[in-house]
């Protein structure tokens, strides 16, 4: 992980507000399953707002909007997700930059209005009311580092932004220099500080439950301290994006006041081990560091998102990509933390680098039988997780496996209130049966007759007899079993 010096400086700055934050009630998302949506690429519910739409151009507006998202809430519920994360819906700069429109939401011109392509502020309110009426939480992406390239504020409020001279003189390039050339806000300016804190208050008033903060690596530490203190005071759950974060980075930011960060190191390991041909040792190494995390149940876990290539793209062959995405999603549902599913991953959508990873979402009437099979497996895995207190909220303990098979078999338990679930990830290319001494695993389980996986539709079994654990596992798959 790079930029340790920067992180240390930011954490020192944040430490000044930590006492006040920890004295307040801590928001929780453990037990939630988040579904990530980029509204423009999801579903078009109101063709009347399709100005400038060109679906043949991957860098143009495609017509998805808030009415469409509201119409498709039933689909997200049917999948089993309990929260929806929207990429920004702010009013974007009107002009294109680098041949790209602001369809993604990260080039804001007005932080407190909805872009007309997405609908209106009333449409946002309708969506929030529908989501929360269905028992779902709403997570909104918040941009706090920059404006869009062509936003009027860049011309009218020059003192709000870091200059080239500031960038040239600073040692802190990540914070004081533009990210991808975007006009870089100077959060130490009192007007900028008040604007950004007010933005959070504004969207809270619209009913938002949680914020995903974009690009926190590039934001001034004292401002982050104030922002997190205000969020904690309001009971708002906070999810930070530090691109490439490992366990140590996530732990440091949880100590500093963020409820959650994305665990990129686990995503990298799963891409190599679950989708690729590498052993499971990289995954094991990440999971072995769980004890460093102050709040392991809150960490955001994901296979892919809008900033990285699709998980299924890791294979040249579509059928293998589908099979291993199913493996990855089942594996994700065994882990302690907050699973985040990017729209389309539940059907193993493919796509390379941005913007190819942001293809338009497709729904049931457009699926192939193989895509439906991935959806059905994902739906069943989420249902099993939600039905099991141990899988949803339990502790997580790695179990040792013999060196000869440790690269292809990963075992750990999830435990809560006397319930024990055994998770088994199997990266072997053929079906295998394993018999392991209970003593070598460090467990003392009573005899157990052959028991199927908690995941419906999966042919995997476990039994305990004669001091041995017996596992029958399909190739390239992850299973969960109730063992106590």
């Amino acid at each position: 992980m790079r930029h340790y010096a920067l992180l240390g400086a930011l954490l020192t700055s944040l430490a000044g507000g930590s006492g006040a934050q920890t004295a307040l009630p801590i928001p929780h998302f453990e037990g939630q399953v988040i579904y990530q949506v980029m509204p423009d690429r999801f579903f078009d519910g109101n063709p009347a707002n399709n100005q400038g739409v060109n679906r043949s151009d991957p860098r143009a507006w495609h017509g998805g909007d808030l009415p469409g998202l509201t119409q498709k809430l039933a689909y997200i519920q049917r999948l089993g997700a309990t929260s929806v994360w929207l990429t920004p819906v702010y009013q974007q700069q009107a002009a294109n930059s680098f041949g790209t429109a602001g369809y993604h939401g990260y080039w804001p011109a007005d932080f407190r209005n909805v872009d007309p392509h997405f609908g209106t502020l009333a449409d946002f309110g309708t969506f929030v009311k529908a989501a929360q009426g269905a028992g779902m939480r709403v997570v909104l992406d918040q941009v706090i580092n920059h404006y869009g390239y062509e936003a009027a504020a860049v011309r009218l409020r020059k003192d709000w932004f870091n200059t080239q001279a500031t960038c040239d003189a600073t040692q802190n390039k990540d914070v004081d220099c533009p990210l991808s050339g975007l006009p870089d806000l100077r959060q130490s300016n009192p007007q900028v500080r008040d604007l950004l804190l007010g933005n959070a208050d504004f969207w809270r008033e619209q009913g938002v439950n949680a914020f995903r903060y974009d690009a926190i690596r590039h934001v001034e530490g004292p401002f982050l301290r104030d922002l997190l203190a205000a969020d904690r005071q309001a009971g708002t759950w906070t999810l930070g994006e530090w691109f490439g974060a490992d366990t140590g980075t996530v732990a440091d930011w949880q100590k500093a006041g963020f409820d959650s960060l994305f665990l990129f190191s686990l995503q990298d390991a799963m891409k190599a081990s679950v989708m690729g041909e590498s052993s499971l040792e990289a995954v094991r190494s990440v999971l072995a560091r769980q004890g460093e995390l102050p709040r392991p149940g809150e960490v955001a876990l994901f296979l892919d998102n809008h900033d990285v290539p699709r998980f299924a793209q890791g294979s040249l062959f579509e059928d293998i990509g589908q099979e291993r995405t199913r493996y990855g999603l089942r594996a994700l549902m065994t882990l302690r933390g907050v699973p985040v599913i990017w729209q389309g991953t539940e059907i193993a959508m493919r796509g390379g680098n941005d913007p190819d990873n942001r293809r338009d979402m497709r729904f049931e009437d457009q699926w192939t039988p193989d895509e439906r099979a991935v959806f059905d497996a994902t739906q069943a895995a989420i249902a099993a997780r939600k039905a099991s207190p141990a899988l949803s909220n339990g502790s997580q303990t790695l179990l040792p496996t013999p060196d000869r098979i440790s690269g292809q078999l990963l075992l750990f338990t999830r435990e809560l209130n006397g319930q024990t679930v055994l998770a088994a990830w199997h990266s072997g290319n053929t079906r295998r049966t394993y018999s392991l001494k209970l003593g070598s695993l460090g467990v003392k389980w009573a005899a157990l007759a052959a028991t199927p996986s908690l995941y419906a539709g999966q042919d995997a079994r476990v039994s305990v007899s004669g001091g041995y654990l017996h596992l029958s596992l399909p190739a390239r798959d992850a299973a969960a079993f109730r063992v106590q």
Side-chain angles (χ1 to χ4, degrees), residues 62-119:
H62 281 200
D65 50 29
L66 290 166
L69 177 55
T70 303
Q71 290 177 37
K72 289 296 184 181
L73 270 176
Y75 167 81
I76 300 173
Q77 279 189 285
R78 190 159 60 253
L79 177 65
T82 60
S83 300
V84 183
W85 157 28
L86 290 73
T87 53
V89 295
Y90 312 129
Q91 185 170 338
Q92 298 293 289
Q93 63 179 49
N96 288 2
S97 292
F98 313 107
T100 302
Y103 70 88
H104 43 70
Y106 292 98
W107 294 347
D110 183 349
F111 288 93
R112 301 187 195 179
N113 201 2
V114 169
D115 192 278
H117 291 88
F118 299 135

Side-chain angles (χ1 to χ4, degrees), residues 49-322:
N49 60 27
N50 285 357
Q51 302 87 354
V53 164
N54 181 2
R55 295 189 178 95
S56 66
D57 181 354
R59 298 186 180 276
W61 292 96
H62 281 200
D65 50 29
L66 290 166
L69 177 55
T70 303
Q71 290 177 37
K72 289 296 184 181
L73 270 176
Y75 167 81
I76 300 173
Q77 279 189 285
R78 190 159 60 253
L79 177 65
T82 60
S83 300
V84 183
W85 157 28
L86 290 73
T87 53
V89 295
Y90 312 129
Q91 185 170 338
Q92 298 293 289
Q93 63 179 49
N96 288 2
S97 292
F98 313 107
T100 302
Y103 70 88
H104 43 70
Y106 292 98
W107 294 347
D110 183 349
F111 288 93
R112 301 187 195 179
N113 201 2
V114 169
D115 192 278
H117 291 88
F118 299 135
T120 65
L121 195 58
D123 289 329
F124 185 80
T126 298
F127 161 71
V128 171
K129 184 177 180 180
Q132 295 182 347
M136 304 182 78
R137 302 185 192 184
V138 176
V139 184
L140 182 64
D141 221 310
Q142 288 281 62
V143 177
I144 52 177
N145 176 68
H146 57 265
Y147 268 84
Y149 298 97
E150 303 294 334
V154 180
R155 300 188 305 275
L156 301 175
R157 301 285 188 176
K158 294 184 181 298
D159 59 320
W160 284 10
F161 301 92
N162 286 316
T163 64
Q164 186 60 49
T166 302
C167 175
D168 292 342
T170 187
Q171 297 296 310
N172 196 347
K173 300 295 185 184
D174 274 341
V175 169
D176 297 327
C177 295
L179 169 63
S180 301
L182 286 158
D184 190 57
L185 282 166
R186 186 160 58 89
Q187 292 89 7
S188 53
N189 180 309
Q191 291 180 322
V192 173
R193 175 188 177 278
D194 290 347
L195 169 75
L196 296 176
L197 291 176
N199 292 342
D201 289 337
F202 176 85
W203 291 105
R204 260 191 288 269
E205 290 170 2
Q206 312 311 310
V208 173
N209 306 106
F211 294 133
R212 180 265 192 188
Y213 284 114
D214 183 55
I216 63 171
R217 170 185 286 179
H218 304 281
V219 178
E220 295 178 23
F223 169 74
L224 282 177
R225 177 197 64 206
D226 293 345
L227 181 68
L228 292 172
D231 286 334
R232 182 62 55 81
Q233 183 72 45
T236 302
W237 190 73
T238 53
L239 170 57
E241 185 230 11
W242 181 288
F243 199 89
D246 66 0
T247 302
T249 304
V250 175
D252 284 339
W253 282 108
Q254 283 192 323
K255 292 172 186 174
F258 270 100
D259 297 305
S260 182
L261 259 72
F262 295 95
L263 188 54
F264 277 85
S265 58
L266 182 61
Q267 189 261 344
D268 286 341
M270 292 183 71
K271 181 171 59 177
S273 302
V274 174
M275 177 56 68
E277 299 296 333
S278 299
S279 80
L280 287 165
E281 293 296 350
V283 173
R284 190 189 314 276
S285 295
V286 175
L287 299 184
R289 298 185 63 186
Q290 180 193 228
E292 300 175 28
L293 297 167
R295 301 175 65 195
E298 302 292 331
V299 176
L301 313 170
F302 66 109
L303 297 182
D304 53 14
N305 62 28
H306 63 295
D307 287 329
V308 299
R310 288 281 189 176
F311 192 70
Q313 194 73 10
S315 170
L316 292 173
F317 304 100
E318 186 171 9
D319 57 342
I320 293 176
Q322 290 166 339

Side-chain angles (χ1 to χ4, degrees), residues 459-477:
D459 184 13
R461 296 180 298 280
V462 68
S463 65
V464 177
S465 63
Y468 279 82
L469 171 74
H470 307 284
L471 287 163
S472 178
L473 301 172
R476 292 280 179 178
D477 211 346

